[in-house]
Amino acid sequence: MTDGEVRRVTRAVYPGSFDPPTNGHLDVIERAAGYFGELVVAVVVNPQKRTPMFSLEEREEMLAACVANLSHVRVEHFRGLLAEYVKAAQADVIVKGLRVVSDFESEMSAAMMNRSLSNVDTLFLMTDQKYSFVSSSLVKEVFFLGGDVAALVPEPVLRVMSEKRTNLQRR
Ligand code: PNS
């Protein structure tokens, strides 16, 4: 970009495992939707960290229900490298949420790697502080051990989680 040239951001990609989506994710989605012409919530098919508890279909359906009222937000999925996906999707930026300082350490190197692979920058939004302790993995652990997570996940997510718990208890 040359001096004085302005690059307008229109299409942003918010990637994640969303296993399951939490109120922290939704907070980032709603706030990011206010900044970009188009926001694509991109669900990774095979998360690196662990086998997801919720199928790709379940994760996409939960997200679609959560963003149904946001007209310029859509849900997609991707396999493999995020950098390849954002290039193919012709995204202008990647959006990520940061909860605590320790998130920044891994996100910084991921942002640099993704930029070197795709020339697409990552913009960070701080999660609302009331969700700074909320992670998908903690929500799952608490819920499946009988804890109340109603304040931590959107209503469509709670419904799917409750169905899954009932199915697991039947086995
Ligand atoms: O919600 P998560 O699990 O923190 O999301 C992580 C995600 C999906 C953004 C990250 O694992 C990812 O980008 N995966 C795709 C594979 C990839 O591109 N790896 C190199 C990242 S620098």
Short mmCIF file of all heavy atoms in Angstrom, two decimals, residues 54-123:
data_model
loop_
_atom_site.label_atom_id
_atom_site.label_comp_id
_atom_site.label_asym_id
_atom_site.label_seq_id
_atom_site.Cartn_x
_atom_site.Cartn_y
_atom_site.Cartn_z
N PHE A 54 -18.96 -31.77 19.28
CA PHE A 54 -20.11 -31.51 18.41
C PHE A 54 -19.67 -31.68 16.95
O PHE A 54 -18.59 -31.23 16.57
CB PHE A 54 -20.65 -30.09 18.66
CG PHE A 54 -21.18 -29.93 20.06
CD1 PHE A 54 -20.35 -29.48 21.08
CD2 PHE A 54 -22.48 -30.29 20.37
CE1 PHE A 54 -20.81 -29.38 22.38
CE2 PHE A 54 -22.96 -30.19 21.67
CZ PHE A 54 -22.12 -29.73 22.67
N SER A 55 -20.54 -32.33 16.18
CA SER A 55 -20.22 -32.55 14.77
C SER A 55 -20.15 -31.20 14.05
O SER A 55 -20.66 -30.18 14.55
CB SER A 55 -21.30 -33.43 14.12
OG SER A 55 -22.51 -32.70 14.04
N LEU A 56 -19.57 -31.23 12.86
CA LEU A 56 -19.51 -30.01 12.06
C LEU A 56 -20.92 -29.47 11.83
O LEU A 56 -21.17 -28.26 11.95
CB LEU A 56 -18.81 -30.31 10.72
CG LEU A 56 -18.80 -29.15 9.73
CD1 LEU A 56 -17.97 -27.98 10.27
CD2 LEU A 56 -18.29 -29.60 8.38
N GLU A 57 -21.82 -30.37 11.50
CA GLU A 57 -23.21 -29.97 11.25
C GLU A 57 -23.82 -29.29 12.48
O GLU A 57 -24.45 -28.23 12.38
CB GLU A 57 -24.02 -31.21 10.89
CG GLU A 57 -25.31 -30.91 10.19
CD GLU A 57 -26.03 -32.18 9.81
OE1 GLU A 57 -26.09 -33.10 10.64
OE2 GLU A 57 -26.54 -32.24 8.68
N GLU A 58 -23.61 -29.87 13.65
CA GLU A 58 -24.15 -29.28 14.89
C GLU A 58 -23.54 -27.91 15.14
O GLU A 58 -24.25 -26.95 15.49
CB GLU A 58 -23.86 -30.20 16.08
CG GLU A 58 -24.72 -31.44 16.11
CD GLU A 58 -24.28 -32.45 17.18
OE1 GLU A 58 -23.05 -32.60 17.41
OE2 GLU A 58 -25.15 -33.10 17.76
N ARG A 59 -22.23 -27.79 14.95
CA ARG A 59 -21.57 -26.50 15.23
C ARG A 59 -22.06 -25.43 14.25
O ARG A 59 -22.33 -24.29 14.64
CB ARG A 59 -20.04 -26.67 15.14
CG ARG A 59 -19.48 -27.48 16.32
CD ARG A 59 -17.99 -27.68 16.23
NE ARG A 59 -17.60 -28.67 15.27
CZ ARG A 59 -16.51 -28.64 14.51
NH1 ARG A 59 -15.68 -27.61 14.60
NH2 ARG A 59 -16.22 -29.60 13.67
N GLU A 60 -22.23 -25.83 12.99
CA GLU A 60 -22.72 -24.85 12.00
C GLU A 60 -24.17 -24.46 12.28
O GLU A 60 -24.54 -23.29 12.17
CB GLU A 60 -22.60 -25.42 10.58
CG GLU A 60 -21.19 -25.40 10.06
CD GLU A 60 -21.13 -25.65 8.56
OE1 GLU A 60 -21.34 -26.80 8.15
OE2 GLU A 60 -20.88 -24.69 7.82
N GLU A 61 -24.98 -25.45 12.66
CA GLU A 61 -26.39 -25.15 12.93
C GLU A 61 -26.54 -24.26 14.17
O GLU A 61 -27.36 -23.34 14.18
CB GLU A 61 -27.18 -26.45 13.12
CG GLU A 61 -27.54 -27.07 11.78
CD GLU A 61 -28.23 -28.42 11.90
OE1 GLU A 61 -28.63 -28.79 13.03
OE2 GLU A 61 -28.36 -29.08 10.87
N MET A 62 -25.76 -24.54 15.20
CA MET A 62 -25.83 -23.69 16.40
C MET A 62 -25.46 -22.25 16.06
O MET A 62 -26.14 -21.31 16.46
CB MET A 62 -24.89 -24.24 17.50
CG MET A 62 -25.37 -25.50 18.16
SD MET A 62 -24.35 -25.98 19.58
CE MET A 62 -23.01 -26.86 18.79
N LEU A 63 -24.38 -22.09 15.29
CA LEU A 63 -23.94 -20.74 14.92
C LEU A 63 -24.97 -20.05 14.04
O LEU A 63 -25.27 -18.87 14.25
CB LEU A 63 -22.59 -20.81 14.19
CG LEU A 63 -21.36 -20.94 15.08
CD1 LEU A 63 -20.15 -21.32 14.26
CD2 LEU A 63 -21.09 -19.65 15.85
N ALA A 64 -25.51 -20.80 13.07
CA ALA A 64 -26.50 -20.20 12.17
C ALA A 64 -27.70 -19.69 12.97
O ALA A 64 -28.22 -18.59 12.70
CB ALA A 64 -26.93 -21.21 11.12
N ALA A 65 -28.12 -20.46 13.97
CA ALA A 65 -29.25 -20.02 14.81
C ALA A 65 -28.87 -18.76 15.60
O ALA A 65 -29.70 -17.86 15.77
CB ALA A 65 -29.67 -21.14 15.74
N CYS A 66 -27.63 -18.71 16.05
CA CYS A 66 -27.19 -17.56 16.87
C CYS A 66 -27.09 -16.26 16.05
O CYS A 66 -27.24 -15.17 16.60
CB CYS A 66 -25.82 -17.83 17.49
SG CYS A 66 -25.82 -19.15 18.68
N VAL A 67 -26.79 -16.38 14.75
CA VAL A 67 -26.56 -15.17 13.94
C VAL A 67 -27.73 -14.89 12.99
O VAL A 67 -27.62 -14.04 12.10
CB VAL A 67 -25.23 -15.24 13.14
CG1 VAL A 67 -24.06 -15.48 14.08
CG2 VAL A 67 -25.26 -16.30 12.05
N ALA A 68 -28.84 -15.61 13.18
CA ALA A 68 -29.97 -15.49 12.25
C ALA A 68 -30.47 -14.06 12.11
O ALA A 68 -30.98 -13.67 11.06
CB ALA A 68 -31.10 -16.41 12.70
N ASN A 69 -30.32 -13.26 13.17
CA ASN A 69 -30.81 -11.87 13.12
C ASN A 69 -29.77 -10.89 12.58
O ASN A 69 -30.02 -9.68 12.52
CB ASN A 69 -31.25 -11.43 14.53
CG ASN A 69 -30.11 -11.50 15.51
OD1 ASN A 69 -29.18 -12.30 15.33
ND2 ASN A 69 -30.14 -10.68 16.54
N LEU A 70 -28.61 -11.39 12.19
CA LEU A 70 -27.55 -10.50 11.68
C LEU A 70 -27.43 -10.73 10.17
O LEU A 70 -26.86 -11.73 9.72
CB LEU A 70 -26.21 -10.80 12.38
CG LEU A 70 -26.22 -10.61 13.90
CD1 LEU A 70 -24.96 -11.20 14.53
CD2 LEU A 70 -26.33 -9.12 14.25
N SER A 71 -27.97 -9.79 9.39
CA SER A 71 -28.14 -10.04 7.95
C SER A 71 -26.84 -10.20 7.18
O SER A 71 -26.77 -10.91 6.20
CB SER A 71 -28.99 -8.93 7.33
OG SER A 71 -28.35 -7.70 7.56
N HIS A 72 -25.78 -9.52 7.59
CA HIS A 72 -24.54 -9.61 6.81
C HIS A 72 -23.51 -10.54 7.47
O HIS A 72 -22.31 -10.43 7.23
CB HIS A 72 -23.95 -8.23 6.53
CG HIS A 72 -23.70 -7.43 7.78
ND1 HIS A 72 -24.68 -7.04 8.64
CD2 HIS A 72 -22.55 -6.95 8.30
CE1 HIS A 72 -24.15 -6.36 9.63
NE2 HIS A 72 -22.87 -6.30 9.45
N VAL A 73 -24.01 -11.46 8.28
CA VAL A 73 -23.13 -12.48 8.86
C VAL A 73 -23.55 -13.84 8.32
O VAL A 73 -24.74 -14.16 8.30
CB VAL A 73 -23.25 -12.49 10.41
CG1 VAL A 73 -22.37 -13.58 11.01
CG2 VAL A 73 -22.88 -11.13 10.99
N ARG A 74 -22.57 -14.63 7.83
CA ARG A 74 -22.93 -15.98 7.40
C ARG A 74 -21.93 -16.98 7.96
O ARG A 74 -20.82 -16.60 8.38
CB ARG A 74 -23.05 -16.07 5.88
CG ARG A 74 -21.81 -15.78 5.12
CD ARG A 74 -22.15 -15.61 3.63
NE ARG A 74 -21.11 -14.88 2.96
CZ ARG A 74 -20.01 -15.41 2.45
NH1 ARG A 74 -19.82 -16.70 2.52
NH2 ARG A 74 -19.09 -14.67 1.87
N VAL A 75 -22.36 -18.23 7.96
CA VAL A 75 -21.55 -19.29 8.56
C VAL A 75 -21.06 -20.21 7.44
O VAL A 75 -21.85 -20.63 6.59
CB VAL A 75 -22.38 -20.09 9.59
CG1 VAL A 75 -21.54 -21.21 10.21
CG2 VAL A 75 -22.92 -19.16 10.67
N GLU A 76 -19.75 -20.48 7.45
CA GLU A 76 -19.17 -21.42 6.49
C GLU A 76 -18.23 -22.35 7.25
O GLU A 76 -18.00 -22.16 8.44
CB GLU A 76 -18.34 -20.66 5.44
CG GLU A 76 -19.17 -19.96 4.39
CD GLU A 76 -18.31 -19.40 3.26
OE1 GLU A 76 -17.06 -19.52 3.31
OE2 GLU A 76 -18.91 -18.84 2.32
N HIS A 77 -17.68 -23.34 6.56
CA HIS A 77 -16.65 -24.15 7.19
C HIS A 77 -15.45 -24.25 6.26
O HIS A 77 -15.55 -23.95 5.06
CB HIS A 77 -17.19 -25.54 7.55
CG HIS A 77 -17.63 -26.35 6.39
ND1 HIS A 77 -18.95 -26.48 6.03
CD2 HIS A 77 -16.92 -27.06 5.48
CE1 HIS A 77 -19.04 -27.25 4.96
NE2 HIS A 77 -17.83 -27.61 4.60
N PHE A 78 -14.33 -24.63 6.85
CA PHE A 78 -13.13 -24.80 6.03
C PHE A 78 -12.29 -25.96 6.56
O PHE A 78 -12.37 -26.31 7.73
CB PHE A 78 -12.29 -23.51 5.97
CG PHE A 78 -11.57 -23.16 7.25
CD1 PHE A 78 -10.22 -23.43 7.41
CD2 PHE A 78 -12.25 -22.57 8.31
CE1 PHE A 78 -9.54 -23.11 8.59
CE2 PHE A 78 -11.59 -22.25 9.50
CZ PHE A 78 -10.25 -22.52 9.63
N ARG A 79 -11.53 -26.56 5.64
CA ARG A 79 -10.60 -27.63 5.99
C ARG A 79 -9.19 -27.13 5.76
O ARG A 79 -8.96 -26.29 4.89
CB ARG A 79 -10.77 -28.81 5.01
CG ARG A 79 -11.91 -29.71 5.33
CD ARG A 79 -12.11 -30.70 4.18
NE ARG A 79 -13.53 -30.80 3.90
CZ ARG A 79 -14.35 -31.56 4.59
NH1 ARG A 79 -13.90 -32.29 5.57
NH2 ARG A 79 -15.64 -31.57 4.32
N GLY A 80 -8.24 -27.65 6.50
CA GLY A 80 -6.83 -27.33 6.22
C GLY A 80 -6.45 -25.95 6.71
O GLY A 80 -6.93 -25.47 7.74
N LEU A 81 -5.60 -25.29 5.92
CA LEU A 81 -5.00 -24.03 6.37
C LEU A 81 -5.98 -22.85 6.30
O LEU A 81 -6.61 -22.63 5.25
CB LEU A 81 -3.79 -23.69 5.51
CG LEU A 81 -2.45 -24.34 5.84
CD1 LEU A 81 -1.41 -23.87 4.84
CD2 LEU A 81 -2.02 -24.02 7.26
N LEU A 82 -6.03 -22.09 7.38
CA LEU A 82 -6.85 -20.88 7.39
C LEU A 82 -6.37 -19.90 6.32
O LEU A 82 -7.16 -19.24 5.65
CB LEU A 82 -6.77 -20.23 8.79
CG LEU A 82 -7.49 -18.91 8.96
CD1 LEU A 82 -8.99 -19.04 8.69
CD2 LEU A 82 -7.24 -18.33 10.35
N ALA A 83 -5.04 -19.83 6.14
CA ALA A 83 -4.48 -18.88 5.16
C ALA A 83 -4.99 -19.18 3.75
O ALA A 83 -5.30 -18.26 2.98
CB ALA A 83 -2.94 -18.95 5.20
N GLU A 84 -5.09 -20.46 3.42
CA GLU A 84 -5.60 -20.84 2.09
C GLU A 84 -7.08 -20.49 1.97
O GLU A 84 -7.55 -20.03 0.94
CB GLU A 84 -5.39 -22.34 1.83
CG GLU A 84 -3.94 -22.73 1.68
CD GLU A 84 -3.25 -21.97 0.54
OE1 GLU A 84 -3.88 -21.75 -0.51
OE2 GLU A 84 -2.07 -21.57 0.72
N TYR A 85 -7.81 -20.73 3.07
CA TYR A 85 -9.25 -20.43 3.05
C TYR A 85 -9.49 -18.93 2.87
O TYR A 85 -10.33 -18.52 2.06
CB TYR A 85 -9.90 -20.93 4.35
CG TYR A 85 -11.31 -20.45 4.50
CD1 TYR A 85 -12.34 -20.99 3.72
CD2 TYR A 85 -11.62 -19.42 5.38
CE1 TYR A 85 -13.64 -20.52 3.83
CE2 TYR A 85 -12.91 -18.95 5.51
CZ TYR A 85 -13.91 -19.50 4.72
OH TYR A 85 -15.19 -19.02 4.83
N VAL A 86 -8.76 -18.09 3.61
CA VAL A 86 -9.03 -16.65 3.50
C VAL A 86 -8.64 -16.11 2.12
O VAL A 86 -9.28 -15.19 1.60
CB VAL A 86 -8.37 -15.80 4.63
CG1 VAL A 86 -9.00 -16.11 5.96
CG2 VAL A 86 -6.87 -15.95 4.68
N LYS A 87 -7.61 -16.71 1.53
CA LYS A 87 -7.25 -16.29 0.16
C LYS A 87 -8.37 -16.65 -0.80
O LYS A 87 -8.83 -15.84 -1.60
CB LYS A 87 -5.94 -16.95 -0.28
CG LYS A 87 -4.71 -16.24 0.23
CD LYS A 87 -3.46 -16.68 -0.52
CE LYS A 87 -2.96 -18.02 -0.05
NZ LYS A 87 -1.72 -18.47 -0.69
N ALA A 88 -8.85 -17.91 -0.69
CA ALA A 88 -9.92 -18.37 -1.60
C ALA A 88 -11.21 -17.58 -1.39
O ALA A 88 -11.94 -17.30 -2.34
CB ALA A 88 -10.17 -19.86 -1.38
N ALA A 89 -11.46 -17.20 -0.13
CA ALA A 89 -12.68 -16.46 0.19
C ALA A 89 -12.54 -14.97 -0.12
O ALA A 89 -13.49 -14.20 0.06
CB ALA A 89 -13.04 -16.65 1.66
N GLN A 90 -11.35 -14.57 -0.56
CA GLN A 90 -11.04 -13.16 -0.84
C GLN A 90 -11.38 -12.27 0.35
O GLN A 90 -12.03 -11.22 0.21
CB GLN A 90 -11.77 -12.71 -2.10
CG GLN A 90 -11.31 -13.48 -3.33
CD GLN A 90 -11.90 -12.95 -4.61
OE1 GLN A 90 -13.12 -12.76 -4.70
NE2 GLN A 90 -11.06 -12.69 -5.59
N ALA A 91 -10.97 -12.73 1.52
CA ALA A 91 -11.22 -11.96 2.75
C ALA A 91 -10.20 -10.83 2.87
O ALA A 91 -9.06 -10.97 2.44
CB ALA A 91 -11.12 -12.88 3.96
N ASP A 92 -10.63 -9.73 3.44
CA ASP A 92 -9.73 -8.60 3.66
C ASP A 92 -8.97 -8.75 4.98
O ASP A 92 -7.82 -8.35 5.08
CB ASP A 92 -10.53 -7.29 3.69
CG ASP A 92 -11.26 -7.06 2.39
OD1 ASP A 92 -10.57 -6.84 1.38
OD2 ASP A 92 -12.50 -7.14 2.37
N VAL A 93 -9.64 -9.28 5.98
CA VAL A 93 -9.01 -9.46 7.29
C VAL A 93 -9.55 -10.71 7.98
O VAL A 93 -10.64 -11.19 7.67
CB VAL A 93 -9.24 -8.27 8.27
CG1 VAL A 93 -8.46 -7.05 7.89
CG2 VAL A 93 -10.70 -7.97 8.45
N ILE A 94 -8.73 -11.17 8.94
CA ILE A 94 -9.16 -12.23 9.87
C ILE A 94 -9.47 -11.51 11.18
O ILE A 94 -8.76 -10.58 11.57
CB ILE A 94 -8.00 -13.23 10.10
CG1 ILE A 94 -7.65 -13.94 8.78
CG2 ILE A 94 -8.36 -14.24 11.19
CD1 ILE A 94 -6.31 -14.68 8.83
N VAL A 95 -10.54 -11.91 11.84
CA VAL A 95 -10.88 -11.33 13.15
C VAL A 95 -10.72 -12.41 14.21
O VAL A 95 -11.13 -13.55 14.00
CB VAL A 95 -12.35 -10.83 13.17
CG1 VAL A 95 -12.75 -10.38 14.57
CG2 VAL A 95 -12.53 -9.68 12.20
N LYS A 96 -10.11 -12.04 15.33
CA LYS A 96 -9.99 -12.97 16.45
C LYS A 96 -10.37 -12.23 17.73
O LYS A 96 -10.17 -11.01 17.83
CB LYS A 96 -8.54 -13.46 16.59
CG LYS A 96 -8.07 -14.38 15.46
CD LYS A 96 -8.37 -15.83 15.80
CE LYS A 96 -7.78 -16.81 14.82
NZ LYS A 96 -6.40 -17.17 15.09
N GLY A 97 -10.86 -12.98 18.70
CA GLY A 97 -11.16 -12.41 20.01
C GLY A 97 -10.03 -12.73 20.97
O GLY A 97 -9.42 -13.80 20.89
N LEU A 98 -9.75 -11.81 21.88
CA LEU A 98 -8.76 -12.04 22.93
C LEU A 98 -9.44 -11.89 24.27
O LEU A 98 -10.14 -10.91 24.51
CB LEU A 98 -7.63 -11.01 22.85
CG LEU A 98 -6.70 -11.06 21.64
CD1 LEU A 98 -5.72 -9.89 21.71
CD2 LEU A 98 -5.93 -12.38 21.61
N ARG A 99 -9.27 -12.89 25.15
CA ARG A 99 -9.90 -12.82 26.48
C ARG A 99 -8.90 -12.31 27.52
O ARG A 99 -9.19 -11.43 28.30
CB ARG A 99 -10.41 -14.20 26.90
CG ARG A 99 -11.57 -14.71 26.08
CD ARG A 99 -11.78 -16.17 26.30
NE ARG A 99 -10.56 -16.90 25.94
CZ ARG A 99 -10.44 -18.21 25.91
NH1 ARG A 99 -11.45 -18.95 26.29
NH2 ARG A 99 -9.32 -18.78 25.55
N VAL A 100 -7.75 -12.93 27.51
CA VAL A 100 -6.73 -12.62 28.54
C VAL A 100 -5.38 -12.52 27.86
O VAL A 100 -5.20 -12.93 26.71
CB VAL A 100 -6.70 -13.74 29.62
CG1 VAL A 100 -7.91 -13.66 30.53
CG2 VAL A 100 -6.60 -15.12 28.98
N VAL A 101 -4.39 -11.98 28.60
CA VAL A 101 -3.07 -11.73 28.00
C VAL A 101 -2.47 -13.02 27.44
O VAL A 101 -1.84 -13.02 26.38
CB VAL A 101 -2.13 -11.10 29.06
CG1 VAL A 101 -0.72 -10.97 28.50
CG2 VAL A 101 -2.65 -9.74 29.46
N SER A 102 -2.71 -14.15 28.13
CA SER A 102 -2.10 -15.40 27.65
C SER A 102 -2.62 -15.80 26.27
O SER A 102 -1.92 -16.47 25.52
CB SER A 102 -2.30 -16.53 28.66
OG SER A 102 -3.67 -16.67 28.94
N ASP A 103 -3.85 -15.40 25.93
CA ASP A 103 -4.35 -15.67 24.57
C ASP A 103 -3.45 -15.02 23.53
O ASP A 103 -3.25 -15.53 22.43
CB ASP A 103 -5.77 -15.08 24.36
CG ASP A 103 -6.85 -15.93 24.98
OD1 ASP A 103 -6.56 -17.05 25.39
OD2 ASP A 103 -8.00 -15.44 25.03
N PHE A 104 -2.93 -13.84 23.89
CA PHE A 104 -2.18 -13.04 22.92
C PHE A 104 -0.92 -13.75 22.44
O PHE A 104 -0.54 -13.64 21.28
CB PHE A 104 -1.83 -11.68 23.52
CG PHE A 104 -1.12 -10.78 22.54
CD1 PHE A 104 -1.79 -10.23 21.46
CD2 PHE A 104 0.24 -10.53 22.67
CE1 PHE A 104 -1.13 -9.44 20.54
CE2 PHE A 104 0.90 -9.74 21.76
CZ PHE A 104 0.21 -9.19 20.69
N GLU A 105 -0.30 -14.53 23.36
CA GLU A 105 0.98 -15.16 23.00
C GLU A 105 0.83 -16.08 21.80
O GLU A 105 1.58 -16.00 20.83
CB GLU A 105 1.54 -15.92 24.20
CG GLU A 105 2.07 -14.97 25.24
CD GLU A 105 2.53 -15.67 26.49
OE1 GLU A 105 2.87 -16.86 26.42
OE2 GLU A 105 2.54 -15.02 27.54
N SER A 106 -0.18 -16.96 21.84
CA SER A 106 -0.35 -17.88 20.70
C SER A 106 -0.97 -17.15 19.51
O SER A 106 -0.63 -17.44 18.35
CB SER A 106 -1.21 -19.07 21.11
OG SER A 106 -2.42 -18.62 21.66
N GLU A 107 -1.85 -16.20 19.79
CA GLU A 107 -2.51 -15.50 18.68
C GLU A 107 -1.54 -14.63 17.89
O GLU A 107 -1.71 -14.44 16.69
CB GLU A 107 -3.67 -14.64 19.20
CG GLU A 107 -4.85 -15.45 19.72
CD GLU A 107 -5.51 -16.34 18.66
OE1 GLU A 107 -5.24 -16.16 17.46
OE2 GLU A 107 -6.29 -17.21 19.05
N MET A 108 -0.52 -14.11 18.58
CA MET A 108 0.44 -13.24 17.88
C MET A 108 1.19 -14.05 16.83
O MET A 108 1.31 -13.63 15.67
CB MET A 108 1.41 -12.62 18.88
CG MET A 108 2.31 -11.59 18.25
SD MET A 108 3.36 -10.79 19.44
CE MET A 108 4.66 -11.98 19.62
N SER A 109 1.68 -15.24 17.21
CA SER A 109 2.43 -16.02 16.22
C SER A 109 1.51 -16.54 15.12
O SER A 109 1.91 -16.62 13.95
CB SER A 109 3.24 -17.14 16.86
OG SER A 109 2.48 -17.80 17.81
N ALA A 110 0.26 -16.88 15.48
CA ALA A 110 -0.69 -17.33 14.44
C ALA A 110 -0.96 -16.20 13.45
O ALA A 110 -1.00 -16.41 12.23
CB ALA A 110 -1.99 -17.80 15.09
N ALA A 111 -1.12 -14.98 13.98
CA ALA A 111 -1.38 -13.83 13.10
C ALA A 111 -0.21 -13.59 12.15
O ALA A 111 -0.39 -13.33 10.96
CB ALA A 111 -1.65 -12.58 13.94
N MET A 112 1.00 -13.71 12.69
CA MET A 112 2.20 -13.50 11.85
C MET A 112 2.31 -14.59 10.80
O MET A 112 2.62 -14.32 9.64
CB MET A 112 3.45 -13.48 12.73
CG MET A 112 3.56 -12.24 13.58
SD MET A 112 4.98 -12.42 14.67
CE MET A 112 5.08 -10.77 15.33
N MET A 113 2.06 -15.84 11.22
CA MET A 113 2.12 -16.96 10.27
C MET A 113 1.07 -16.77 9.17
O MET A 113 1.37 -16.91 7.97
CB MET A 113 1.90 -18.28 11.01
CG MET A 113 1.87 -19.49 10.12
SD MET A 113 3.44 -19.74 9.24
CE MET A 113 4.38 -20.59 10.51
N ASN A 114 -0.15 -16.45 9.58
CA ASN A 114 -1.22 -16.30 8.58
C ASN A 114 -0.92 -15.15 7.62
O ASN A 114 -1.21 -15.23 6.43
CB ASN A 114 -2.58 -16.11 9.27
CG ASN A 114 -3.11 -17.42 9.82
OD1 ASN A 114 -2.93 -18.46 9.21
ND2 ASN A 114 -3.75 -17.38 10.98
N ARG A 115 -0.32 -14.09 8.15
CA ARG A 115 0.00 -12.95 7.27
C ARG A 115 1.11 -13.32 6.30
O ARG A 115 1.07 -12.96 5.12
CB ARG A 115 0.40 -11.74 8.10
CG ARG A 115 0.61 -10.50 7.26
CD ARG A 115 0.44 -9.24 8.06
NE ARG A 115 0.63 -8.08 7.21
CZ ARG A 115 1.80 -7.46 7.05
NH1 ARG A 115 2.87 -7.88 7.68
NH2 ARG A 115 1.89 -6.42 6.25
N SER A 116 2.09 -14.09 6.81
CA SER A 116 3.18 -14.45 5.90
C SER A 116 2.69 -15.42 4.82
O SER A 116 3.21 -15.44 3.71
CB SER A 116 4.38 -15.01 6.66
OG SER A 116 4.18 -16.36 6.97
N LEU A 117 1.68 -16.22 5.13
CA LEU A 117 1.18 -17.19 4.14
C LEU A 117 0.15 -16.59 3.18
O LEU A 117 0.01 -17.05 2.05
CB LEU A 117 0.52 -18.38 4.86
CG LEU A 117 1.42 -19.29 5.71
CD1 LEU A 117 0.57 -20.28 6.49
CD2 LEU A 117 2.42 -20.02 4.83
N SER A 118 -0.58 -15.57 3.65
CA SER A 118 -1.71 -15.10 2.83
C SER A 118 -1.71 -13.60 2.57
O SER A 118 -2.53 -13.11 1.80
CB SER A 118 -3.03 -15.44 3.55
OG SER A 118 -3.13 -14.69 4.75
N ASN A 119 -0.84 -12.87 3.29
CA ASN A 119 -0.83 -11.41 3.23
C ASN A 119 -2.13 -10.81 3.78
O ASN A 119 -2.48 -9.68 3.45
CB ASN A 119 -0.56 -10.92 1.80
CG ASN A 119 0.00 -9.51 1.79
OD1 ASN A 119 0.68 -9.12 2.74
ND2 ASN A 119 -0.30 -8.74 0.76
N VAL A 120 -2.85 -11.58 4.59
CA VAL A 120 -4.08 -11.07 5.21
C VAL A 120 -3.77 -10.80 6.69
O VAL A 120 -3.25 -11.65 7.40
CB VAL A 120 -5.23 -12.10 5.07
CG1 VAL A 120 -6.47 -11.64 5.83
CG2 VAL A 120 -5.57 -12.31 3.60
N ASP A 121 -4.10 -9.60 7.13
CA ASP A 121 -3.86 -9.20 8.52
C ASP A 121 -4.93 -9.77 9.46
O ASP A 121 -6.06 -10.04 9.03
CB ASP A 121 -3.92 -7.66 8.65
CG ASP A 121 -2.57 -7.02 8.37
OD1 ASP A 121 -1.56 -7.50 8.94
OD2 ASP A 121 -2.53 -6.05 7.60
N THR A 122 -4.57 -9.89 10.73
CA THR A 122 -5.53 -10.28 11.76
C THR A 122 -5.82 -9.08 12.65
O THR A 122 -4.89 -8.41 13.11
CB THR A 122 -4.98 -11.44 12.62
OG1 THR A 122 -4.71 -12.55 11.77
CG2 THR A 122 -5.97 -11.85 13.70
N LEU A 123 -7.08 -8.78 12.84
CA LEU A 123 -7.50 -7.71 13.76
C LEU A 123 -8.09 -8.36 15.00
O LEU A 123 -8.87 -9.31 14.89
CB LEU A 123 -8.54 -6.80 13.10
CG LEU A 123 -8.13 -6.10 11.80
CD1 LEU A 123 -9.25 -5.16 11.32
CD2 LEU A 123 -6.84 -5.30 11.97
#
